[in-house]
Amino acid sequence: QVQLVESGGGLVQAGASLRLSCAASGRTFSRYPMGWFRQAPGKEREFVAAISWSGTSLSYADSVRGRFTISRDNAKKTVYLQMNSLKPEDTAVYYCAQRGDSGNYDSWGQGTQVTVSS
């Protein structure tokens, strides 16, 4: 299994930026797709962004496209989520996840809180 640890969350005002990091250890990192998800209070967990093993294929939720950027550094076994122009609606616990051989996101971090005030 892979262990994932998110960091970089915090409390910011609307319009600010944050960069989340997810450090991986254990299962090989480089050839597995990675994703970011978030869960707001009282809401279902939702997909935010994903990146292929090579970093050449990216996908984003409509709500964050143009504001968020996912990237990865395979040498550092780390995936990032650069979040710009943050909105109060972005407030959530953000989780990174790795998609395993099953095709499911089977490894999850503990989450990092992002709170955006207006």
Side-chain angles (χ1 to χ4, degrees), residues 77-95:
K77 297 183 178 181
T78 302
V79 62
Y80 305 95
L81 185 67
Q82 178 67 45
M83 305 185 295
N84 298 327
S85 302
L86 282 162
K87 305 175 180 179
E89 303 91 274
D90 296 319
T91 295
V93 177
Y94 283 71
Y95 301 90

Side-chain angles (χ1 to χ4, degrees), residues 37-87:
F37 295 78
R38 67 187 183 186
Q39 187 166 22
K43 301 294 181 64
E44 296 293 317
R45 184 180 63 190
E46 66 174 343
F47 168 80
V48 175
I51 186 168
S52 65
W53 68 269
S54 66
T56 59
S57 181
L58 311 175
S59 62
Y60 298 95
D62 289 341
S63 59
V64 307
R65 188 176 294 110
R67 299 188 297 120
F68 291 11
T69 303
I70 188 171
S71 62
R72 68 191 296 164
D73 186 333
N74 288 341
K76 296 181 178 179
K77 297 183 178 181
T78 302
V79 62
Y80 305 95
L81 185 67
Q82 178 67 45
M83 305 185 295
N84 298 327
S85 302
L86 282 162
K87 305 175 180 179

